[in-house]
């Protein structure tokens, strides 16, 4: 077909998941519940850290930023996904909205990578350099790292959109996925995407592989330091301060690196969808749960707020 006769696509059909008709409303309710719990859980983390002065430390400051990133990620993916579940065949989304979704998805993913790396550095300093922690992890440094992380994330997402705008999209206009991701969108192009894919792979390495190396090296030093502690009780106490972060890092990077660094030809489409579901839907859900259940300080603040509420309630009656 001649390139001049190719139609530029304006609407995209998202096939989503192949769900039996009888299970549609059950699946819709489950993911709606997940979305509500994700938003409420992360807002709770932000509120608790803002409310309690005992949580005004670098670790919890970074945790609030991670919660903001999780809210952004869930809100970028889940509403359209819920719409796709209710549609019998495929959910329609305009091409401009698809690119917008891709933009905010990229912002949240980049920010999550950088924030998890900064949080790892915070744990490294607290455990391996405790005498220098207050000096190195100052209030000013925390704000600089957070502003830098968000600025780089928005800048990189904008760069993605600029690069993608240089190619032409003419169909087919069907994406067998539950949201607009990089690889499925590039498959809709009728232009040569070699350079674009090279750029995306390079930035994935920068925002994915390099932070993983930094995190691994940091945890090697952390583990070595922990084993130098003479008592088992002391080891457990120190390890508990970074165990939540380690679980979250393992979940997030394990899934995202599989999707972006393992060659597509070695992945089945169903596996790719399932793994994508883990880091776009379940990771933002699990982050506040993991940090809340495994963090004594957060549980104490929740308990204190609950006791104050009960006292006010009984006093009123």
């Amino acid at each position: 077909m001649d390139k001049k006769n190719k139609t530029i696509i304006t609407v995209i059909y998202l096939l989503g998941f192949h769900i039996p008709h009888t299970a549609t409303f059950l699946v819709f309710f489950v993911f709606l519940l997940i979305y509500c719990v994700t938003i409420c859980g992360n807002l709770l983390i932000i509120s608790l850290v803002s409310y309690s002065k005992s949580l005004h430390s670098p670790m919890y400051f970074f945790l609030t930023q991670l919660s903001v990133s999780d809210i952004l990620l869930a809100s970028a993916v889940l509403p359209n996904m819920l719409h796709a579940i209710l549609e019998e065949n495929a959910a329609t989304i305009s091409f401009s909205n698809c690119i917008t979704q891709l933009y905010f998805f990229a912002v949240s993913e980049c920010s999550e990578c950088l924030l998890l790396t900064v949080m790892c550095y915070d744990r490294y300093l607290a455990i391996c350099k405790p005498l220098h922690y207050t000096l190195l992890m100052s209030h000013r440094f925390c704000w600089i790292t957070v502003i830098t992380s968000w600025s780089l994330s928005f800048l990189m997402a904008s760069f993605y959109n600029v690069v993608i705008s240089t190619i032409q999209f003419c169909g087919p206009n069907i994406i067998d996925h539950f949201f607009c991701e990089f690889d499925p969108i590039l498959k809709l192009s009728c232009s040569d995407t070699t350079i674009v894919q090279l750029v995306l792979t390079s930035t994935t390495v920068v925002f994915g592989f390099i932070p993983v190396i930094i995190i691994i090296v940091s945890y090697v030093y952390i583990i070595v330091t922990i084993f130098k502690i003479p008592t088992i009780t002391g080891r457990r106490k120190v390890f508990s301060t970074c165990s939540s972060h380690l679980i979250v890092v393992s979940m997030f990077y394990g899934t995202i690196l599989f999707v972006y660094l393992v060659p597509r030809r070695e992945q089945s489409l169903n596996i790719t969808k399932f793994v994508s579901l883990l880091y776009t839907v379940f990771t933002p859900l699990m982050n506040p749960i993991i940090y809340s259940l495994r963090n004594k300080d957060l549980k104490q603040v929740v308990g204190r707020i609950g006791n104050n509420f009960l006292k006010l309630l009984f006093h009123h009656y």
Side-chain angles (χ1 to χ4, degrees), residues 2 42 47 96 136 168 177 185 193 233 243 251 258 261 313:
D2 186 71
N42 283 288
S47 302
S96 59
L136 295 175
Q168 189 178 22
H177 214 309
I185 288 178
T193 61
T233 305
S243 59
M251 272 185 3
F258 174 84
L261 294 185
L313 188 65

Side-chain angles (χ1 to χ4, degrees), residues 43-276:
L43 285 176
L44 178 63
I45 293 289
I46 295 170
S47 302
L48 289 175
V49 174
S50 301
Y51 166 81
S52 177
K53 290 183 179 179
S54 64
L55 300 179
H56 289 179
S57 64
M59 180 175 71
Y60 295 109
F61 174 66
F62 294 134
L63 182 57
T64 61
Q65 300 303 307
L66 188 66
S67 292
V68 172
S69 179
D70 286 335
I71 291 172
L72 181 61
L73 177 58
S75 299
V77 174
L78 272 166
N80 279 324
M81 181 180 169
L82 291 171
H83 174 64
I85 290 171
L86 289 179
E87 296 293 330
E88 287 190 9
N89 296 317
T92 58
I93 181 173
S94 68
F95 186 76
S96 59
N97 286 342
C98 189
I99 296 300
T100 302
Q101 184 186 52
L102 179 65
Y103 175 79
F104 286 107
F105 165 74
V107 169
S108 59
E109 290 298 285
C110 290
S111 62
E112 191 121 355
C113 289
L114 295 175
L115 288 170
L116 286 173
T117 307
V118 172
M119 290 172 76
C120 181
Y121 178 67
D122 171 73
R123 292 300 82 206
Y124 163 76
L125 289 180
I127 295 171
C128 302
K129 307 284 184 181
L131 298 178
H132 301 90
Y133 179 79
T134 306
L135 179 64
L136 295 175
M137 195 57 68
S138 62
H139 184 73
R140 182 170 176 268
F141 177 80
C142 291
W143 274 107
I144 289 174
T145 52
V146 164
I147 292 172
T148 302
S149 296
W150 281 108
S151 299
L152 286 175
S153 300
F154 279 102
L155 186 63
M156 189 53 62
S158 300
F159 177 64
Y160 282 154
N161 277 23
V162 170
V163 170
I164 288 175
S165 67
T166 61
I167 58 179
Q168 189 178 22
F169 295 91
C170 47
N173 60 342
I174 297 173
I175 293 180
D176 193 1
H177 214 309
F178 60 89
F179 75 106
C180 295
E181 203 179 10
F182 297 112
D183 192 64
I185 288 178
L186 291 181
K187 288 180 180 178
L188 307 183
S189 175
C190 50
S191 305
D192 183 12
T193 61
T194 304
I195 296 177
V196 176
Q197 288 177 330
L198 183 61
V199 169
L200 293 178
T201 302
S202 301
T203 52
T204 300
V205 170
V206 171
F207 279 84
F209 189 69
I210 293 177
V212 165
I213 296 300
I214 295 172
I215 289 170
I216 290 173
V217 171
S218 297
Y219 269 105
V220 167
Y221 280 102
I222 288 171
I223 291 170
V224 169
T225 303
I226 289 174
F227 275 109
K228 288 180 180 179
I229 298 173
T231 62
I232 295 176
T233 305
R235 291 176 190 172
R236 287 177 180 172
K237 185 178 180 181
V238 173
F239 184 74
S240 66
T241 64
C242 60
S243 59
S244 298
H245 178 263
L246 187 58
I247 293 171
V248 170
V249 165
S250 301
M251 272 185 3
F252 178 75
Y253 276 110
T255 53
I256 201 170
L257 290 178
F258 174 84
V259 171
Y260 287 103
L261 294 185
V262 175
R264 295 285 171 167
R265 62 180 179 275
E266 297 180 14
Q267 303 177 27
S268 74
L269 194 57
N270 288 332
I271 290 177
T272 301
K273 283 185 184 180
F274 175 73
V275 177
S276 298

